Amino acid sequence: MANRIPAAAIQQYSQEHLREVLNTAGRRLTPQREKVLSLFQNLGLGHHLTADDVHHHLKQAGNRVSLATVYRSLKLLVAMRLLDEGEWQEGLRCYELRQGGGKIHHHMVCMCCDHTEEFVSEVITAASRDMSKVAGFELTEVRLILRGICRRCRQRSKATASTFS
Amino acid sequence: MANRIPAAAIQQYSQEHLREVLNTAGRRLTPQREKVLSLFQNLGLGHHLTADDVHHHLKQAGNRVSLATVYRSLKLLVAMRLLDEGEWQEGLRCYELRQGGGKIHHHMVCMCCDHTEEFVSEVITAASRDMSKVAGFELTEVRLILRGICRRCRQRSKATASTFS
DNA sequence: ATGGATGCAAATATTTTGCATGCCT
DNA sequence: AGGCATGCAAAATATTTGCATCCAT
C-alpha cells in the first residue's frame, strides 16, 4: 500500500546530507547521532519509537549513549528533516524516519491493537495543496491520521460495549 | 471557512448527553465537569487549550477546581467524545470542543505564530473513507493537520535562514 | 586551544495516583 | 449508608538544562 523507496538510497542520502549540513554549520556527525539515525534506517520506514525506545535499543546494542543525548539528537534530526515527530498513539510522542524526496504519506492507526499502516493518497495530497493555496498558506507538512479499528481487530471482537473510565 | 454549527445547539446537546450518560452509568455531572465543558463551549469551536490552560481559566473565573480534577475531567470528556485531544502545536497536548454531528474538520497551523485555522474538505473526507474501506478499516476519526506559514507571517518575513539548534 | 557534544545529575514540566474528606442519591 | 468525585500532596513520567569533561579540528 505504501509507496516505498529503497532503504539503501535513503540511507546514503541521509548520511551524506547529515554530514554535509552539519559540517557546513561547523558542527559534527558524532557516533551517537549516527547511531540514532541508523537505528531508524535499519528498522525501515513506518516504525515509530519514543525517545525512551531509542535509548533502550541503543543501549541494548551495546552503545554508550545517554537519554539526554537521545533527546538532543532526535530534536536535531527532526530540525534537519531526517525524522518526523508525531503523536500517533495517544499520549506517546514518537519519531519515525522521514520518507526521502519529501513524499507525503499518511497513517492509519488501529485504536485496538495500535498497529500502524502507511499509505499514500494523491487525492489528499492535492487537496491539501489546494486548500493551502486558497488560504495563502505556505505548506510545509501534511499530517493525516485515520484512527479506527483494523480488519483483524474487527473480526476478533464483534460486540464491544463502549466504556469510559 | 469552517462549517460552523450554532453554538447553542451544541451546548444543549452536550449538556443533555453528558448528564444522561453519566446518570445511566451511576455517575455524576459535577460543577467541575460542567465548568470544564462550559469553558470550551463558551470559547466556541476551534479553540485549543492545554490542561493547564483550562485550570488557569477556571481559577481566574473564581472556580474552585484542582489541576488533577481538570485532568480527570478532560479524560472523561474525551472518552465521551465531547472533546477532542490532539497535539496541534509541537509538544503541547491540547483539547478542543468536538463538532456536533460528527462533522469532520481539519486544521491548518502556522508554525510561526501558532495561529490555527479550521477548514472542511469534502474531498479529503471522501478520500479518507475510501482508503479505509479498501483497507477493511472501520474509520472512527480523521485528523489532518497542515503545517506551514500563514499569509501574515509570510509577508512579515521574507528572508528567513533555516536554523536548527 | 577552541568550541561543539556528551554524560550525569539536578531542575522542570507533565500527568497520574493514594487517600482522607465531602457531597449526592 | 454507600459510593462517586474532589483536593491535596506525593509519586511517577517525561523532557530540559547546567556544568565539567571529552574529543575533533
Side-chain angles (χ1 to χ4, degrees):
Chain A
M1 181 171 253
N3 240 351
R4 297 285 157 92
I5 290 174
I10 295 175
Q11 189 140 353
Q12 285 310 101
Y13 170 72
S14 303
Q15 220 74 329
E16 271 314 285
H17 184 65
L18 182 52
R19 193 179 298 278
E20 191 178 301
V21 177
L22 285 175
N23 285 343
T24 303
R27 299 176 71 180
R28 303 179 210 141
L29 176 54
T30 62
Q32 285 89 343
R33 289 171 181 177
E34 214 170 330
K35 287 286 166 42
V36 171
L37 180 57
S38 294
L39 173 59
F40 284 97
Q41 293 174 330
N42 291 335
L43 290 175
L45 294 169
H47 285 262
H48 302 152
L49 304 180
T50 63
D52 208 50
D53 289 338
V54 172
H55 187 227
H56 273 102
H57 270 91
L58 296 184
K59 296 289 276 190
Q60 210 144 43
N63 297 290
R64 171 182 171 72
V65 62
S66 71
L67 182 56
T69 295
V70 169
Y71 272 109
R72 287 186 278 230
S73 299
L74 289 173
K75 187 168 283 194
L76 178 72
L77 294 171
V78 168
M80 296 183 70
R81 327 235 98 195
L82 292 173
L83 296 183
D84 278 323
E85 185 185 50
E87 191 172 328
W88 293 286
Q89 296 167 222
E90 225 51 69
L92 282 185
R93 199 178 312 182
C94 293
Y95 298 83
E96 72 163 7
L97 192 60
R98 171 176 282 238
Q99 291 202 3
K103 190 78 183 177
I104 294 174
H105 68 286
H106 312 292
H107 294 97
M108 204 177 272
V109 183
C110 178
M111 297 163 76
C112 182
C113 66
D114 278 337
H115 175 73
T116 300
E117 189 87 40
E118 291 193 4
F119 67 95
V120 171
S121 165
E122 297 304 338
V123 175
I124 291 174
T125 302
S128 296
R129 295 212 170 100
D130 286 351
M131 296 304 302
S132 299
K133 179 167 273 181
V134 171
F137 191 79
E138 183 183 322
L139 188 62
T140 303
E141 284 187 53
V142 178
R143 295 188 186 182
L144 173 67
I145 299 179
L146 302 185
R147 308 187 79 232
I149 314 293
C150 72
R151 180 178 280 137
R152 283 175 51 103
C153 289
R154 281 172 62 202
Q155 292 172 341
R156 236 173 313 191
S157 68
K158 281 302 177 191
T160 312
S162 83
T163 52
F164 47 83
S165 58
Chain B
M1 181 170 252
N3 240 351
R4 298 284 156 92
I5 290 173
I10 296 175
Q11 189 137 354
Q12 285 311 102
Y13 171 69
S14 304
Q15 220 76 329
E16 270 315 286
H17 183 64
L18 182 51
R19 193 178 299 277
E20 191 178 303
V21 178
L22 284 175
N23 284 343
T24 304
R27 300 177 69 179
R28 303 178 207 142
L29 176 55
T30 62
Q32 286 88 342
R33 290 171 179 176
E34 213 170 331
K35 286 285 165 43
V36 171
L37 181 57
S38 293
L39 174 58
F40 285 97
Q41 293 175 329
N42 291 335
L43 289 174
L45 294 170
H47 285 262
H48 301 151
L49 304 180
T50 63
D52 208 51
D53 290 338
V54 172
H55 188 225
H56 273 101
H57 270 91
L58 295 184
K59 295 289 277 190
Q60 211 144 42
N63 297 292
R64 170 181 172 74
V65 62
S66 70
L67 183 54
T69 294
V70 168
Y71 272 108
R72 287 186 278 230
S73 298
L74 288 173
K75 187 169 283 192
L76 177 73
L77 293 171
V78 168
M80 296 184 69
R81 327 235 97 191
L82 292 173
L83 296 183
D84 278 324
E85 184 186 51
E87 192 173 326
W88 293 286
Q89 296 168 221
E90 225 51 67
L92 282 184
R93 199 178 314 181
C94 293
Y95 299 83
E96 71 162 11
L97 192 60
R98 171 176 282 238
Q99 290 202 1
K103 190 80 182 175
I104 294 173
H105 69 287
H106 312 293
H107 294 96
M108 205 176 273
V109 183
C110 178
M111 296 164 76
C112 183
C113 66
D114 278 338
H115 175 73
T116 299
E117 189 87 41
E118 291 193 3
F119 68 95
V120 171
S121 164
E122 296 304 339
V123 175
I124 292 174
T125 301
S128 297
R129 295 213 170 99
D130 286 351
M131 296 304 302
S132 299
K133 178 167 275 181
V134 171
F137 191 79
E138 182 183 322
L139 188 63
T140 302
E141 284 186 52
V142 178
R143 295 188 186 182
L144 173 68
I145 299 179
L146 301 185
R147 307 187 80 232
I149 315 293
C150 72
R151 181 178 277 140
R152 282 175 51 103
C153 289
R154 282 172 62 203
Q155 292 173 341
R156 236 173 313 192
S157 67
K158 280 303 175 190
T160 313
S162 83
T163 51
F164 45 85
S165 57

